[in-house]
Amino acid sequence: MLAVHRSLGTWMRMVAYYIALTEFARRKFIAGGLPPERIAVKPNFVSLDPGRKDGAGDYAIFLGRLSPEKGVRTLVSAWKQLRLSIPLVIIGEGPSRCELEDRVISCGLRGVSFRGQVSREDALDAVKKARFLVLPSECYENFPMSIAEAFACGTPVICSQLGAMAELVCDGRTGLHFKAQDCVDLAAKCQWAWNHPHELHAMSICARQEYKSRYTAEKNYATLMDIYARAMTKSGNC
């Protein structure tokens, strides 16, 4: 089907505008042959403002699907490398949960707890009480909502230096980057963040500012309406 539409020129003649969630995705679409001038970037957004968290946070948090590509095995391995005990809350379900729970027990990681699937309200509440969120994905990701939600709560993000994640999280400003699949590097970044509350507080402020400047419903609506206007103008000129 893709080959048929390529031969017919569907993607070039019948589509006025494409929307990519990040500049990283936009570059991938361009590399795939789409015209750069027809690809606009509009990120995801957090529809209701959860409000900035109070206090520094009592634990680190992972929020997402428990499956191999999400890097949770690397996360557990990193916790085994830590020189000090950092509480870790893991929220989510998936095919790797039993394996991960067994590994946590076998490694004697007493500060790691699994909460399973929770409501969005409870998840946001947990993110607000966390010192930082860890996003160890080993796949590119498109636009992880957990990043925008963490920023809305004023919670810095420690993420893989990979794809869109490295674009969305500014290293040293709204969080930290680590080498994907590198549990030693991840452990070092988490330990540094836990041991530097003043620097992390500054990142918390920047994360909240990033949300207010880019990821609110109002900002998203304005961006989307601008894309629609450009698309209609382009269609009218065809």
Side-chain angles (χ1 to χ4, degrees):
M1 184 63 71
L2 287 174
V4 171
H5 283 293
R6 283 197 183 100
S7 65
L8 293 174
T10 303
W11 315 127
M12 303 296 287
R13 296 188 300 104
M14 303 300 292
V15 180
Y17 259 87
Y18 294 90
I19 295 177
L21 295 178
T22 62
E23 286 291 346
F24 174 79
R26 183 175 182 272
R27 291 193 297 270
K28 287 295 182 182
F29 287 135
I30 293 171
L34 293 181
E37 68 276 7
R38 295 192 199 177
I39 309 173
V41 175
K42 184 198 73 65
N44 283 332
F45 65 101
V46 180
S47 57
L48 296 176
D49 184 357
R52 187 169 178 266
K53 67 179 182 178
D54 297 321
D58 301 321
Y59 49 79
I61 190 170
F62 169 86
L63 178 64
R65 179 171 167 79
L66 304 183
S67 53
E69 76 279 3
K70 296 298 184 180
V72 196
R73 291 173 181 166
T74 299
L75 177 61
V76 172
S77 295
W79 245 245
K80 187 179 178 182
Q81 301 285 332
L82 292 175
R83 295 194 301 272
L84 55 84
S85 178
I86 299 175
L88 172 64
V89 172
I90 297 176
I91 292 179
E93 287 287 354
S96 298
R97 178 169 178 175
C98 290
E99 171 202 335
L100 293 166
E101 288 182 319
D102 289 344
R103 187 166 187 183
V104 164
I105 293 171
S106 66
C107 292
L109 302 176
R110 300 181 184 279
V112 179
S113 61
F114 291 80
R115 294 191 183 175
Q117 193 73 32
V118 302
S119 68
R120 184 173 183 275
E121 183 180 71
D122 288 344
L124 285 173
D125 184 61
V127 171
K128 290 175 75 170
K129 294 175 181 176
R131 192 168 299 190
F132 53 82
L133 180 140
V134 185
L135 187 65
S137 290
E138 294 167 8
C139 58
Y140 274 153
E141 298 285 358
N142 196 1
F143 187 112
M145 278 301 298
S146 58
I147 291 180
E149 290 169 342
F151 286 175
C153 296
T155 301
V157 177
I158 299 177
C159 71
S160 307
Q161 192 177 16
L162 187 67
M165 294 174 288
E167 173 188 329
L168 298 172
V169 178
C170 182
D171 189 34
R173 182 175 179 273
T174 57
L176 298 169
H177 295 170
F178 75 95
K179 297 175 184 177
Q181 302 183 26
D182 189 334
C183 64
V184 175
D185 190 31
L186 175 55
K189 297 300 169 57
C190 291
Q191 194 157 283
W192 183 93
W194 193 264
N195 289 336
H196 290 79
H198 295 297
E199 289 85 347
L200 211 65
H201 177 69
M203 290 182 191
S204 171
I205 294 173
C206 290
R208 176 68 180 173
Q209 290 173 342
E210 186 76 355
Y211 158 72
K212 292 177 74 174
S213 66
R214 299 193 63 191
Y215 304 129
T216 65
E218 294 77 15
K219 293 287 185 181
N220 195 273
Y221 177 80
T223 301
L224 184 60
M225 290 301 102
D226 178 66
I227 294 171
Y228 284 167
R230 282 184 280 160
M232 289 190 294
T233 299
K234 186 172 183 62
S235 297
N237 293 333
C238 293

